[in-house]
């Protein structure tokens, strides 16, 4: 029995509206339209076949400027018209509209989707479009340095490959076009303020307590995308997540609700594969027992389920230029292996894989707390503070809300307040024993990242618990 597929369609009679289907086939992968068959493929014949054989080719050419093969077939003694449409290298319009065959449906394309298809027809992607007004001197030196350091440290580039001028480095990364103009990928990765060109190029984080409307506090992470991932992960794991503490003998064990490496991989995927032609930032919603990560992006059509994502698949980055920068920096993997890291992290925690919900509105990832965390949380066996630590810094997290909703920082709920207090107390302990400790040494002693240490030092100075005596080099810390 003959069946319809994504590029084969059956119609009993001819209607001029089927010219939209022909347009859609030409803009997609091509296809075949049969006139004179019912839905199960059985030939039922077509009336006035001679007239249609003359008029259909003319209508296709006159309205769309293309040529399709229109053939007359005999099936079971019935006349059936076969219209074969090739895929065209440039977009085809019908009466000023662009149609596209997607799966088994025909739809009109417009806006950013139309822009993307036009670029695809030209062999380009959105992030490869040049920005003539963007200059190399406009790029953030700290972001470029971070890229170089990470690329060498992770073995993706050699010292010789990075010890070149910025222009040569960017050209080698395919971030300069033939005319020497920087691309959108270069702007996103390295510009100090990519929101000058793309309003949604940042990450928004919020903590919710009892319901979706119960927002307690929030933060935003801005700047070059190459620096955003580490900042987001450090902020979430130092301010937003509560580590439940247990002891194995004399060894302290911190249990988070979700594995940090797996969360970092999800954040990196969101940053690299986001559709930046939209205006929405990446949004991370943290709850006491789960985390949601949403981004305005999409996966290739063949990776439309979580099972396919976590299986063996090829790598088809949404933003190839940006993905190339992150890969060379050692931040993401090739061949779709990033999901292996997520699986490994979840397996180490004994938790379930994150749930991916893929739709036209974007990609939503749900990370649920692992069983061990839930068990400690419900039993009350795990505690964040060690004896006497809770009261060692008075009123650490009491802050005054700002006047605008976007910058409101309310008193942190206990789940986040305890984690921040723990980090602050660890830093104070290091400073008391080593007043001249550098930021790197404090990070090594506390287990925090440099950005995490920087954030906590700023908070301690704001609360007037410490102060810096002397210059950055040669000075020391003083506990008040």
């Amino acid at each position: 029995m003959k069946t319809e597929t994504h590029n084969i369609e059956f119609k009993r009679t001819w209607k001029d509206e089927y010219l939209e289907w022909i347009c859609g086939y030409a803009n997609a992968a091509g296809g075949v339209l049969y006139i004179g068959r019912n839905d199960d493929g059985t030939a039922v014949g077509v009336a006035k076949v001679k007239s249609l054989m003359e008029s259909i080719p003319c209508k296709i050419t006159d309205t769309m400027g293309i040529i399709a093969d229109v053939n007359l077939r005999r099936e079971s003694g019935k006349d059936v018209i076969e219209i074969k449409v090739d895929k065209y290298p440039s977009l085809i319009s019908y009466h000023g509209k662009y149609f596209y065959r997607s799966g088994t449906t025909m739809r009109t394309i417009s806006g950013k989707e139309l822009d993307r298809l036009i670029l695809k027809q030209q062999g380009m992607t959105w992030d490869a479009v040049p920005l003539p007004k963007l200059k190399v001197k406009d790029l953030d030196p700290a972001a470029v340095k971070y890229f170089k350091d990470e690329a060498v440290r992770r073995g993706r580039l050699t010292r010789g490959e990075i010890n070149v001028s910025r222009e040569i480095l960017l050209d080698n990364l395919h971030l300069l076009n033939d005319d020497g103009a920087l691309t959108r990928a270069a702007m996103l990765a390295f510009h100090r303020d990519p929101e000058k060109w793309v309003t949604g190029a940042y990450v928004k984080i919020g903590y919710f307590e009892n319901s979706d409307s119960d927002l307690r506090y929030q933060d935003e992470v801005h700047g070059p995308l190459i620096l955003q991932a580490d900042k987001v992960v450090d902020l979430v794991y130092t301010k937003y997540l509560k580590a439940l503490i247990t002891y194995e003998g004399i060894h302290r064990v911190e249990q988070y609700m979700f594995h940090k490496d797996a969360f970092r991989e999800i954040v990196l995927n969101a940053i690299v594969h986001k559709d930046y032609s939209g205006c929405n930032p990446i949004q991370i919603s943290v709850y006491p027992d789960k985390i949601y990560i949403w981004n305005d992006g999409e996966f290739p059509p063949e990776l439309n389920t979580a099972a396919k994502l976590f299986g063996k698949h090829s790598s088809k980055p949404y933003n190839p230029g940006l993905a190339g920068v992150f890969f060379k920096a050692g931040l993401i993997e090739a061949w779709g292996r990033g999901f292996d890291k997520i699986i490994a992290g979840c397996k180490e925690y004994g938790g379930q894989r994150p749930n991916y919900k893929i739709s036209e509105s974007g990609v939503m990832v749900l990370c649920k707390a692992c069983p061990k965390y839930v068990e400690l949380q419900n039993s009350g066996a795990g505690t964040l503070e060690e004896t006497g630590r809770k009261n060692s810094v008075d009123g650490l997290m009491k802050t005054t809300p700002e006047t605008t909703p976007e910058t409101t920082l309310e008193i942190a709920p206990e789940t986040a307040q305890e984690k921040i207090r723990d980090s602050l107390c660890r830093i104070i302990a290091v400073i008391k024993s080593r007043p001249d400790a550098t930021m790197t040494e404090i990070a090594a002693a506390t287990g925090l990242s440099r950005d995490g240490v920087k954030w906590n030092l700023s908070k301690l100075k704001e609360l007037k618990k410490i102060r810096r005596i002397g210059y950055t080099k040669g000075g020391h810390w003083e506990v008040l």
Side-chain angles (χ1 to χ4, degrees):
M1 181 180 291
K2 302 178 179 67
T3 59
E4 294 180 315
T5 66
H6 69 284
N7 61 353
I8 296 177
E9 186 74 22
F10 302 147
K11 300 297 180 184
R12 293 178 63 90
T13 60
W14 170 259
K15 297 179 182 179
D16 283 353
E17 64 190 58
Y18 297 151
L19 290 168
E20 296 177 359
W21 293 73
I22 293 171
C23 177
Y25 281 139
N27 287 329
V32 184
L33 182 64
Y34 289 96
I35 309 301
R37 286 183 183 175
N38 61 18
D39 290 342
D40 65 7
T42 302
V44 296
V46 59
K48 300 180 180 179
V49 66
K50 184 177 180 180
S51 174
L52 289 175
M53 288 295 295
E54 293 176 355
S55 63
I56 290 176
C58 292
K59 289 179 179 179
I60 294 173
T61 301
D62 292 344
T63 58
M64 290 175 271
I66 63 175
I67 297 174
D69 290 332
V70 182
N71 305 308
L72 180 61
R73 296 164 56 102
R74 292 287 291 178
E75 297 180 3
S76 302
K78 307 287 185 180
D79 288 331
V80 175
I81 297 176
E82 176 189 66
I83 306 172
K84 290 184 177 181
V85 185
D86 292 330
K87 171 181 171 57
Y88 269 70
S90 58
L91 280 179
I92 304 301
S93 67
Y94 171 68
H95 287 172
K97 294 183 179 180
Y98 295 87
F99 296 89
Y100 191 83
R101 175 77 171 192
S102 178
T104 58
T105 61
M106 192 66 61
R107 55 192 179 86
T108 306
I109 53 176
S110 58
K112 64 180 183 181
E113 184 181 13
L114 178 58
D115 292 339
R116 188 166 66 246
L117 278 174
I118 291 174
L119 289 172
K120 185 178 180 180
Q121 299 283 2
Q122 298 171 348
M124 295 180 65
T125 57
W126 182 89
D127 68 335
V129 173
L131 299 171
K133 293 185 178 181
L134 180 63
K135 307 300 180 184
V136 173
K137 63 181 179 62
D138 298 328
L139 304 183
D140 187 355
V144 176
K145 182 180 185 302
Y146 173 85
F147 168 80
K148 290 181 176 181
D149 292 344
E150 291 300 302
V152 172
R153 185 174 73 85
R154 296 170 186 265
R156 298 285 170 87
L157 293 177
T158 65
R159 285 287 177 189
E161 288 172 317
I162 67 160
N163 289 332
V164 294
S165 68
R166 281 202 206 176
E167 287 78 5
I168 293 176
L169 176 65
L170 294 166
D171 189 33
N172 291 341
L173 292 173
H174 307 295
L175 300 179
L176 286 172
N177 72 355
D178 294 338
D179 297 323
L182 289 167
T183 65
R184 285 171 171 165
M187 172 271 293
L188 289 169
F190 298 119
H191 195 274
R192 56 176 55 86
D193 184 18
E195 292 165 65
K196 180 178 179 181
W197 283 272
V198 180
T199 56
Y202 66 99
V203 181
K204 195 171 186 176
I205 309 168
Y207 184 86
F208 298 80
E209 184 65 32
N210 299 312
S211 67
D212 294 343
S213 61
D214 190 13
L215 175 63
R216 296 301 181 90
Y217 55 95
Q218 60 186 334
D219 289 284
E220 294 178 357
V221 176
H222 301 266
L225 297 194
I226 196 77
L227 302 179
Q228 284 189 17
D230 285 345
K231 290 180 179 179
V232 168
V233 174
D234 288 339
L235 185 57
V236 169
Y237 277 78
T238 57
K239 179 177 178 181
Y240 283 79
L241 294 186
K242 172 184 179 181
L244 298 178
I245 306 303
T246 57
Y247 288 87
E248 295 179 359
I250 62 172
H251 299 289
R252 166 186 167 123
V253 179
E254 294 186 352
Q255 179 66 56
Y256 287 98
M257 74 161 77
F258 195 77
H259 198 284
K260 189 174 183 178
D261 290 345
F263 176 78
R264 184 174 185 271
E265 197 65 30
I266 294 170
V267 170
L268 282 166
N269 280 338
I271 291 174
V272 171
H273 300 297
K274 179 181 180 297
D275 180 0
Y276 287 96
S277 63
C279 301
N280 301 308
I282 294 169
Q283 299 169 29
I284 300 176
S285 304
V286 182
Y287 294 78
D289 60 349
K290 58 183 176 286
I291 308 170
Y292 286 102
I293 303 103
W294 177 87
N295 83 87
D296 187 7
E298 62 184 56
F299 286 103
E302 64 271 20
L303 298 177
N304 56 0
T305 65
K308 293 178 180 178
L309 284 173
F310 287 106
K312 176 67 175 177
H313 63 269
S314 60
S315 177
K316 295 182 179 179
Y318 192 84
N319 300 299
L322 185 62
V325 174
F326 276 67
F327 173 75
K328 290 291 177 62
L331 299 178
I332 62 173
E333 301 296 327
W335 300 92
R337 292 184 299 148
F339 285 95
D340 293 341
K341 287 188 175 182
I342 299 175
I343 295 173
C346 293
K347 185 176 181 180
E348 182 179 332
Y349 263 30
Q352 59 182 287
R353 297 175 183 178
N355 177 46
Y356 278 77
K357 183 179 180 181
I358 306 167
S359 66
E360 291 185 359
S361 62
V363 179
M364 178 70 81
V365 186
L366 169 60
C367 305
K368 293 183 178 179
C370 66
K372 185 175 181 180
Y373 184 90
V374 174
E375 180 183 354
L376 291 172
Q377 191 178 48
N378 293 337
S379 66
T383 177
L384 183 62
E385 302 87 15
E386 296 176 79
T387 303
R389 178 169 286 186
K390 183 173 182 178
N391 298 318
S392 60
V393 179
D394 297 328
L396 281 178
M397 295 316 300
K398 292 183 179 179
T399 61
T400 302
E402 299 292 330
T403 57
T404 59
E406 286 301 311
T407 57
T408 298
L409 179 63
E410 301 175 2
I411 297 177
E414 208 57 28
T415 52
Q417 180 181 3
E418 292 169 345
K419 176 58 185 172
I420 301 171
R421 183 186 296 113
D422 182 80
S423 299
L424 296 174
C425 289
R426 275 186 281 168
I427 289 176
I428 286 179
V430 173
I431 290 175
K432 281 183 176 179
S433 61
R434 286 279 312 280
D436 60 344
T438 65
M439 196 175 297
T440 300
E441 291 169 338
I442 295 174
T446 59
L448 300 171
S449 68
R450 281 179 57 86
D451 284 339
V453 170
K454 184 178 180 180
W455 186 90
N456 282 281
L457 287 173
S458 176
K459 177 58 65 176
L460 286 169
K461 287 190 288 185
E462 177 186 326
L463 295 168
K464 301 188 184 308
K465 299 300 178 182
I466 63 171
R467 67 180 177 182
R468 183 71 181 177
I469 306 298
Y471 297 102
T472 302
K473 292 185 178 180
H476 66 275
W477 295 103
E478 179 177 283
V479 178
L480 303 177

